[in-house]
Amino acid sequence: MTTDKKVAFYTLGCKLNFSETSTIARDFKNEGFERVAFEEFADIYVINTCSVTDNADKRFKTIVKSALKQNENAFLIAIGCYAQLKPEELANINGVDMVLGATEKFKVLDYIQDLSKNDIGEIHSCEIDEADFYVGSYSIGDRTRAFLKVQDGCDYKCTYCTIPLARGISRSDTLTNVLSNAREISAKGIKEIVLTGVNIGDYGKGEFGNKKHEHTFLDLVQALDKVEGIHRIRISSIEPNLLKNETIDFVAESNSFVPHFHIPLQSGNDQLLKTMKRRYNTSLYIDRVKKIKSTMPYACIGVDVIVGFPGETDELFLETYQLLSDLDISYLHVFTYSERPNTEAVNMEGVVPQNVRNKRSKMLRGLSVKKRRAFYESQLGSTLDVLFEGENKKGYIHGFTENYVKVKAPWNPALVNTMHTVKLCSLDEDGLVRFEWVEQTVVQ
């Protein structure tokens, strides 16, 4: 195959998908391909799919159409979770030439023999129990921060979730490899790393291709804190039962870990948590939030919550709403429950009508706006460090403080990917924070 070809990527879903897309894109680049934007003409379009919600499934078809508009003869490849769960469904979509499952996506270049269109998508997909090896990845070049994958798969059996079916058993990168990737990221001048995985608090399991457990999540955090040149490390979503006091105490004293936690709750009712097969109850969750806030009063805490799970009555929903309203948290990610094939929940009684799910979702999104505003207001007057992003948004540049307060300033390209000490002053009408410069010099 000639190497004057162009390739474009589109990523649906989570930070983990972004890190994997970025790694696959570097493989293409190493083979001489030119990476272009998805909105441009390319010879190959790779779509990294998600299957967490119905919406991600539907969006896939729209993305395929937009790629074919750029080049009707382009070679289209589907990878990712949806590709593992429903390969035949994707292969039958008009224009899709190849579908690669969980283990095959990292060998995509091995499967491209020629780029002639197929009448029906060619499938290379394994049984998910064969997805028992680990492929490390990290994202760079797309954003100010890098997503560093440290773990994959999940051994939990939550009744609403397809991720174990799409990604296999819990397994981890070796500590040596994680540190090596972190140093590579640091060497490229990136100032923030976000640790990502399916269940990162489970880190250590499967580090040596078996269930041997040499390192823990705390070991990982302590080792990464010593990597030179990384200003900030953020922990992405971590299960409340796996977020230990030792980790919270370490983050509070750490050089580079920031006071920002994202902890899924899913429901504020213990019976529903049990039906979901979550591994904690509300009292443990409340305890985690209190522990963080007593150690780091300025910490930002984000929460995942699901509305409309089977059996969620109005009373049980209001229990969740009240718990979240009372908790000292900073924002919510609200997911409207959607039926996923091959999950236990799909056969459960007490189905919540779609219009009720939507109403509950709207109520919690409104609560999230209030929570974020209250958290931002509590930080006014504070002196914090801001890392500025790379995008010009309607004449403004945005940035984030270490505790995830979003600030804005008039666009200045010289600020991109630089860190400055500022004093938070006031909330703008769009809910973002205005600031004064404390010192307009880069924080080293």
Side-chain angles (χ1 to χ4, degrees):
M1 190 194 302
T2 56
T3 52
D4 56 350
K5 300 289 185 190
K6 293 180 177 180
V7 62
F9 296 85
Y10 196 105
T11 306
L12 287 159
C14 60
K15 296 179 177 76
L16 186 54
N17 271 6
F18 277 98
S19 76
E20 291 179 347
T21 297
S22 198
T23 295
I24 293 163
R26 287 195 293 279
D27 292 341
F28 271 91
K29 203 172 174 188
N30 293 341
E31 289 296 319
F33 285 83
E34 181 192 345
R35 183 178 181 179
V36 296
F38 201 82
E39 300 73 33
E40 294 177 32
F41 176 96
D43 301 284
I44 300 173
Y45 291 90
V46 180
I47 306 169
N48 196 351
T49 63
C50 167
S51 94
V52 169
T53 64
D54 268 337
N55 195 31
D57 298 359
K58 288 169 189 155
R59 279 186 65 197
F60 178 77
K61 289 180 184 172
T62 313
I63 296 157
V64 167
K65 281 180 188 164
S66 70
L68 294 174
K69 261 187 198 166
Q70 300 301 326
N71 178 8
E72 61 181 20
N73 297 313
F75 196 81
L76 254 73
I77 303 170
I79 62 172
C81 290
Y82 192 25
Q84 174 64 34
L85 291 171
K86 298 279 186 73
E88 288 84 7
E89 205 172 288
L90 290 191
N92 284 316
I93 291 171
N94 187 36
V96 174
D97 297 291
M98 189 176 285
V99 180
L100 299 178
T103 61
E104 292 76 18
K105 62 189 169 190
F106 292 106
K107 301 179 280 193
V108 56
L109 286 155
D110 298 346
Y111 289 108
I112 305 171
Q113 304 309 322
D114 72 275
L115 298 180
S116 49
K117 297 289 287 174
N118 292 326
D119 292 335
I120 190 160
E122 191 183 308
I123 296 171
H124 298 280
S125 178
C126 67
E127 290 300 316
I128 197 58
D129 54 12
E130 291 170 31
D132 57 358
F133 58 90
Y134 186 87
V135 179
S137 57
Y138 61 87
S139 74
I140 50 164
D142 305 328
R143 296 157 186 248
T144 312
R145 61 185 70 87
F147 298 136
L148 173 58
K149 174 181 166 185
V150 299
Q151 183 274 343
D152 201 348
C154 189
D155 291 343
Y156 289 8
K157 299 287 185 282
C158 300
T159 53
Y160 52 81
C161 186
T162 56
I163 289 173
L165 301 171
R167 284 188 169 271
I169 59 169
S170 178
R171 54 210 189 274
S172 308
D173 206 348
T174 62
L175 191 56
T176 307
N177 200 41
V178 171
L179 296 175
S180 166
N181 284 342
R183 288 186 197 102
E184 273 182 46
I185 292 165
S186 169
K188 293 177 194 299
I190 291 168
K191 294 182 171 58
E192 181 171 311
I193 286 177
V194 181
L195 299 186
T196 183
V198 175
N199 187 358
I200 63 171
D202 208 24
Y203 177 81
K205 197 183 279 184
E207 193 184 348
F208 303 99
N210 51 33
K211 292 291 178 190
K212 232 176 102 184
H213 229 306
E214 185 170 321
H215 294 108
T216 63
F217 184 68
L218 181 61
D219 294 335
L220 172 75
V221 167
Q222 289 171 334
L224 279 167
D225 200 48
K226 297 187 180 100
V227 174
E228 286 183 22
I230 298 293
H231 292 66
R232 287 181 178 176
I233 305 175
R234 237 174 251 284
I235 298 169
S236 68
S237 185
I238 182 165
E239 294 286 304
N241 50 302
L242 296 174
L243 179 57
K244 307 295 186 192
N245 284 346
E246 296 84 356
T247 304
I248 296 169
D249 289 335
F250 182 79
V251 168
E253 301 297 324
S254 149
N255 299 316
S256 49
F257 278 84
V258 294
H260 176 202
F261 296 86
H262 194 93
I263 316 167
L265 170 66
Q266 311 310 14
S267 172
N269 172 266
D270 285 340
Q271 186 51 51
L272 278 181
L273 287 175
K274 207 171 176 181
T275 313
M276 291 175 171
K277 290 193 177 169
R278 302 293 287 155
R279 299 194 178 195
Y280 54 88
N281 56 21
T282 50
S283 63
L284 181 139
Y285 194 92
I286 293 164
D287 179 68
R288 298 295 76 207
V289 171
K290 285 181 174 169
K291 168 67 180 171
I292 291 166
K293 282 294 186 175
S294 67
T295 318
M296 294 166 270
Y298 45 87
C300 177
I301 302 176
V303 180
D304 287 344
V305 61
I306 295 170
V307 296
F309 186 79
E312 185 187 60
T313 61
D314 285 346
E315 291 75 22
L316 297 187
F317 168 71
L318 288 173
E319 215 176 294
T320 296
Y321 188 96
Q322 196 57 52
L323 177 72
L324 290 166
S325 185
D326 294 343
L327 269 178
D328 193 0
I329 54 166
S330 317
Y331 64 90
L332 305 172
H333 281 174
V334 184
F335 297 89
T336 305
Y337 171 74
S338 62
E339 286 78 0
R340 314 307 294 147
N342 302 316
T343 59
E344 278 187 62
V346 82
N347 298 313
M348 287 179 182
E349 292 175 0
V351 173
V352 179
Q354 196 61 51
N355 63 323
V356 177
R357 297 182 207 184
N358 295 344
K359 183 182 164 193
R360 290 175 186 172
S361 172
K362 199 172 176 184
M363 282 176 70
L364 282 181
R365 286 175 206 277
L367 179 62
S368 181
V369 170
K370 286 183 198 162
K371 285 283 184 185
R372 195 185 295 267
R373 188 175 182 89
F375 176 64
Y376 282 9
E377 282 175 346
S378 76
Q379 298 304 299
L380 296 180
S382 305
T383 299
L384 296 162
D385 294 336
V386 171
L387 175 60
F388 286 97
E389 307 273 304
E391 224 178 315
N392 182 342
K393 294 193 176 174
K394 297 180 180 172
Y396 288 94
I397 189 168
H398 294 160
F400 285 94
T401 63
E402 55 266 50
N403 61 345
Y404 215 55
V405 174
K406 194 172 186 180
V407 306
K408 66 188 284 195
W411 171 252
N412 176 357
L415 292 175
V416 172
N417 197 31
T418 63
M419 212 184 297
H420 300 267
T421 304
V422 304
K423 183 181 179 184
L424 305 186
C425 294
S426 62
L427 273 178
D428 221 344
E429 61 274 7
D430 59 3
L432 303 188
V433 175
R434 296 281 197 159
F435 60 85
E436 289 171 358
W437 299 104
V438 171
E439 43 145 337
Q440 202 165 352
T441 53
V442 178
V443 176
Q444 296 302 326

